[in-house]
Amino acid sequence: TPLFIKTGSVIVLTQHAQNTESQSLQNVSYNLYPSRDCDYSSCLYEDDTKTVGYKNGEYRKTAFRFRWDNSAKTYEFFIDKSEGVFDGCDSFSERNAIVKFYLLNEKVGDVFINGEKVKKPDLKKTSDVLAFDTEENDLETFSFSFKQDVRESYRIVFHLI
């Protein structure tokens, strides 16, 4: 079944799991589908997956935004520091994050995370656009990974060439 994704969207994926109790958000992939015509914002929600503690405010939310900056000619992806807490083994402070930037007739030059340049990986072209644990997709993809401290904010800037 095809899944149609609106340009300008961000889809957060994690590894396959049979249920939410066996799911961990310690490894995530932020899949960015650029558009110069819209801004996108949402949040990643986490709780202990075992109790009803979320009803008492025991959860964590991480807001994120993706936008085109016309004056700088860059795409910007902001990941805010997480808000809220909960107990349990999934209440980690650092996650492994992959950022995948799906290129639609554009080429990425330099990329910076909080002002530090990211080593530019090779562009990849494959056949499965949404698989979390494969390198394959239909489009050219610029991707890199980093350690995301959930107590910190991140500004990722994609300069185009």
Side-chain angles (χ1 to χ4, degrees), residues 44-77:
L44 179 62
Y45 172 89
E46 303 166 87
D47 63 30
D48 69 7
T49 73
K50 296 172 182 60
T51 70
V52 293
Y54 65 91
K55 291 182 178 181
N56 299 318
E58 296 173 21
Y59 57 85
R60 177 169 59 200
K61 286 174 131 180
T62 306
F64 55 86
R65 298 172 310 286
F66 184 45
R67 71 182 199 98
W68 167 252
D69 182 341
N70 196 46
S71 62
K73 304 296 185 216
T74 60
Y75 284 101
E76 297 176 319
F77 181 50

Side-chain angles (χ1 to χ4, degrees), residues 101 103-109 120 123 140 159-161:
F101 190 90
L103 302 170
L104 301 171
N105 303 318
E106 299 187 294
K107 300 239 182 268
V108 172
K120 188 174 178 181
L123 291 176
E140 284 190 323
H159 293 269
L160 300 182
I161 48 176

